[in-house]
């Protein structure tokens, strides 16, 4: 906490000091530059005035060739310690009189005219010397030149004094800014720091009973009120949270239990429905050949009675005998065929029901097995009617769970019959195609029924998905199929369907091919 | 202009080396020219008339040394004035230089000269108290001069403060140009 506290205060102090530094640096630079220029201008102006005065004073002595007079007037410069040298030249630049306390060599040239700073090097802080060259004229007639060279120590020392003063002032100002910013930041940031401390306390100890107080009605007060409000809300929420979570969990557990029971019941009823379908199918299919057999049997009984009666009466003729025997022979054939058909049906049903119950892997001919499954729907298919096209290798024998295949294909056919085909479908067709690809059995089931929309396609394999709940649909059929495909057969299934374009179910099933083909 | 410069410089060197090396006449010749630089006449001047009273020899020296020279950028004439010349003759002079004779003591004559803005110069500094405006004298082997400021002002001749500052001034008026 101390570190954070330190950093936000330090940031503010540093910011203020940096801002002040910028202001001080630029202000000082401007002030120094201005002052130096002002001092230079003043010195220049003073020197010009001084030179003009001396030039005035020596005009007449120069005009009347009075060297003593010139010397006496130039003597006025002697009290000025800044003067390095002053020389009076004749119009042809011959030196006439000079004041040269340092015995320096006279300048090689005194031009240009006017006053200028001349430095032997380009250092801007070293001003060198101030040189003035004036024409001494009377009524436009040139009498000579006055050359004065002065030191610039005065400006240099002024610059040094100025820099010293500015440095001391700047340091003082920065210290002042530092102290003021410390005080200000403490005053302004304290409420925020208090809030931060409290927030941290709340976060660390989950103590939502804490509150912050602020006396002034300012932005901080709004912040504090909002924070307190948040804390009180959180406090009341937290206190009720656990009991609410517990009660909700219990409710959810109860719901889950009910749902599980319902699911078990639904699965059971789906099984019963399937069984019912099977039984009614068996009854219906077997009923026809048995009826034919009964009819045949009764014909045989009746014809035999007529034959026996004529034999007993002794009225039997050869032609009558041949006619009756022909009828008996045909009827017996019909009877045998009908009973064989019934026997075949019973055998198929038996095998399917056995497959569904024993759930063991065995070798079987897929094509033949699928044909038998289709056969169990013979009547229902005829009723609509639906053409079933079965395509694939007639001799393919695989080792798998035939009952599972029966359950899957039965479910598909039932779905097509129940949901896919209605009165608007004129040429109802179911196509079952299978082939072996890369060791997998690719089985495609498709119909040209009404199909299903995109939403329905997505949820078709989810449990309890049905559009015919009122008509007895459980919504578990495809879910059971899905579980059988994915868990029992370790395969995958893809549903491809568009509304009014039928459905297509593509199954990819890993299979063992039987070696005893 | 170059001729003037060379003349001045040469003269200066000789003069400053020793007064004896240069004749008094030469110095005064140069001085007369220099006065025109520092004194302004009230009327515009086309050419300076330098009148030499009663010294034809000096007048001819002047004429010779002033040949092809300008006074204050104006041409000049050297006019010898003999004793007894009428007042009217002298009134055209800009400078009237009394060499050997004293300036005329008559009040009326001096008044006429003053009215016509004639600068009266005398070889005797004492004459500045008797109507002359400038009078020469020797001091430490140097030729110097006295100026009577009142007389100059009475003749409406403006004198530069630079000259007043250099010369010995009597009867100062406090005013100068």
């Amino acid at each position: 906490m101390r570190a954070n506290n330190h950093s936000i205060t330090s940031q503010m102090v540093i910011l203020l000091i940096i801002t002040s530094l910028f202001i001080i640096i630029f202000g000082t630079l401007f002030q120094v530059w201005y002052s130096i220029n002002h001092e230079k201008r003043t010195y220049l102006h003073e020197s010009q005035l001084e030179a003009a005065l001396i030039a005035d004073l020596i005009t007449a002595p120069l005009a009347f060739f009075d060297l003593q007079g010139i010397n006496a007037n130039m003597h006025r410069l002697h009290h000025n310690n800044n003067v390095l040298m002053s020389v009076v030249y004749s119009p042809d630049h011959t030196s006439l009189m000079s004041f040269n306390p340092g015995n320096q060599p006279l300048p090689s040239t005194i031009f240009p005219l006017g006053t200028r700073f001349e430095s032997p090097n380009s250092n801007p802080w070293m001003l060198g010397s101030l040189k003035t060259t004036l024409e001494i004229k009377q009524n436009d007639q040139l009498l000579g030149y006055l050359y004065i060279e002065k030191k610039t120590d005065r400006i240099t020392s002024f610059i040094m004094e100025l820099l010293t003063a500015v440095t001391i002032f700047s340091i003082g100002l920065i210290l002042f800014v530092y102290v003021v910013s410390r005080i200000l930041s403490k005053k302004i940031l304290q409420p925020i720091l208090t809030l931060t401390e409290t927030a941290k306390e709340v976060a660390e100890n989950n103590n939502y009973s804490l509150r912050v107080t602020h006396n002034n009605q300012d932005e901080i007060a709004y912040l504090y009120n909002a924070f307190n409000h948040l804390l009180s809300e959180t406090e009341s929420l937290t206190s009720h949270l656990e009991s609410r979570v517990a009660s909700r969990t219990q409710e959810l557990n109860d719901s889950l239990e009910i749902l599980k029971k319902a699911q078990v019941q639904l699965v059971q009823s789906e099984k019963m429905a399937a069984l019912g379908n099977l039984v009614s199918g068996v009854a219906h299919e077997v009923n026809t050949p048995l009826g034919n057999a009964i009819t045949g049997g009764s014909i045989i009984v009746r014809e035999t009675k007529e034959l026996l009666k004529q034999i007993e009466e002794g009225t039997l003729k050869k032609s009558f005998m041949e006619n009756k025997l022909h009828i008996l022979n045909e009827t017996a054939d019909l009877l045998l065929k009908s009973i064989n058909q019934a026997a075949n049906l019973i055998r198929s049903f038996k095998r399917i029901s056995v497959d569904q119950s024993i759930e063991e892997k065995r070798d079987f001919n897929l094509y033949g097995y699928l044909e038998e499954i289709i056969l169990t729907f013979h009547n229902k298919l005829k009723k609509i009617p639906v053409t079933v096209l079965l395509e694939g290798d007639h001799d393919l024998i695989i080792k798998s769970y035939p009952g599972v295949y029966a359950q899957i294909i039965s479910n598909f056919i039932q779905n097509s019959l129940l949901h896919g085909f209605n009165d608007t479908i004129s040429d109802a067709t179911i196509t079952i195609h299978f082939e072996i690809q890369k060791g997998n059995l690719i089985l495609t089931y498709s119909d040209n029924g009404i199909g299903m929309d995109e939403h329905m396609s997505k949820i078709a394999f989810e449990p309890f998905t049905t559009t015919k709940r009122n008509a007895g649909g459980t919504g578990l059929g495809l879910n059971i199929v899905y579980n059988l495909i994915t868990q029992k057969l370790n395969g995958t299934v893809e549903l491809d369907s568009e509304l009014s374009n039928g459905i297509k179910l593509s199954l990819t099933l890993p299979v063992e091919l039987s070696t005893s083909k | 202009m170059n001729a003037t410069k060379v003349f001045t410089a040469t003269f200066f060197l000789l003069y400053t080396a020793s007064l004896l090396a240069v004749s008094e006449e030469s110095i005064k010749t140069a001085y007369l020219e220099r006065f025109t630089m520092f004194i302004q006449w009230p009327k515009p001047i086309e050419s300076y008339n330098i009148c030499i009273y009663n010294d034809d020899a000096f007048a001819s020296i002047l004429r010779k040394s002033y040949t092809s020279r300008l006074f204050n950028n104006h041409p000049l004439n050297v006019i010898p004035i003999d004793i007894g010349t009428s007042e009217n003759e002298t009134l055209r002079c800009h400078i009237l230089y009394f060499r050997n004779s004293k300036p005329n003591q008559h009040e009326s004559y001096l008044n006429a000269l003053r009215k016509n803005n004639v600068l009266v110069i005398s070889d005797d500094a004492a004459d500045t108290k008797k109507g002359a405006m400038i009078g020469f004298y020797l001091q430490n082997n140097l030729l110097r001069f006295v100026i009577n400021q009142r007389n100059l002002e009475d003749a409406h001749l403006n004198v530069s403060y630079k000259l007043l500052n250099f010369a010995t001034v009597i009867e100062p008026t406090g005013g100068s140009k």
Side-chain angles (χ1 to χ4, degrees), chain A residues 124-139:
Chain A
W125 296 104
M126 301 300 290
L127 294 166
S129 51
L130 182 70
K131 295 177 177 177
T132 308
T133 305
L134 276 185
E135 284 181 326
I136 303 170
K137 278 180 159 180
Q138 183 62 30
N139 275 9

Side-chain angles (χ1 to χ4, degrees), chain A residues 56 63 66 138-139 141, chain B residues 34 37 72 144 161-162 166:
Chain A
D56 261 12
D66 183 359
Q138 183 62 30
N139 275 9
Q141 292 201 41
Chain B
R34 295 295 155 118
M37 286 185 197
N72 206 18
R144 297 198 171 275
Y161 68 93
K162 296 175 187 172
F166 174 65

Side-chain angles (χ1 to χ4, degrees), chain A residues 33 76 102 147 159 191 195 203 233 253 305 407 510 516:
Chain A
W33 174 80
R76 295 168 195 266
Y147 171 80
I159 291 172
L195 188 65
E233 287 285 311
N253 279 335
K305 276 180 180 172
Q407 223 172 327
S516 58

Side-chain angles (χ1 to χ4, degrees), chain A residues 345-369:
Chain A
L345 282 170
I346 296 294
R347 201 162 43 242
S348 297
F349 295 145
K350 189 184 168 194
R351 193 188 299 162
I352 289 165
S353 62
V354 166
D355 288 343
Q356 285 192 9
S357 56
I358 59 174
E359 304 272 325
E360 269 184 15
K361 270 190 179 181
R362 68 174 178 85
D363 288 343
F364 64 98
N365 179 300
L366 184 63
Y367 192 90
Y369 194 73

Side-chain angles (χ1 to χ4, degrees), chain A residues 83-152:
Chain A
V83 176
L84 287 167
M85 173 196 304
S86 74
V87 188
V88 176
Y89 290 89
S90 66
D92 63 349
H93 307 164
T94 312
S95 162
L96 297 175
M97 178 65 66
S98 65
F99 166 62
N100 190 356
N103 286 325
Q104 295 183 53
L106 294 183
S108 55
T109 176
I110 57 170
F111 292 104
L113 292 174
T115 310
R116 73 272 177 192
F117 287 99
E118 269 189 23
S119 175
N121 53 46
S122 57
N123 187 346
W125 296 104
M126 301 300 290
L127 294 166
S129 51
L130 182 70
K131 295 177 177 177
T132 308
T133 305
L134 276 185
E135 284 181 326
I136 303 170
K137 278 180 159 180
Q138 183 62 30
N139 275 9
D140 291 334
Q141 292 201 41
L142 183 68
L143 297 171
Y145 297 97
L146 173 64
Y147 171 80
I148 299 177
E149 192 173 323
K150 291 175 82 174
K151 289 190 281 191
T152 52

Side-chain angles (χ1 to χ4, degrees), chain B residues 98-117:
Chain B
F98 287 95
R99 289 275 296 162
N100 301 318
S101 306
K102 299 288 178 188
N104 198 316
Q105 298 292 313
H106 288 138
E107 192 72 23
S108 60
Y109 179 64
L110 285 173
N111 279 340
L113 287 175
R114 279 196 199 104
K115 273 180 196 166
N116 286 282
N117 323 115

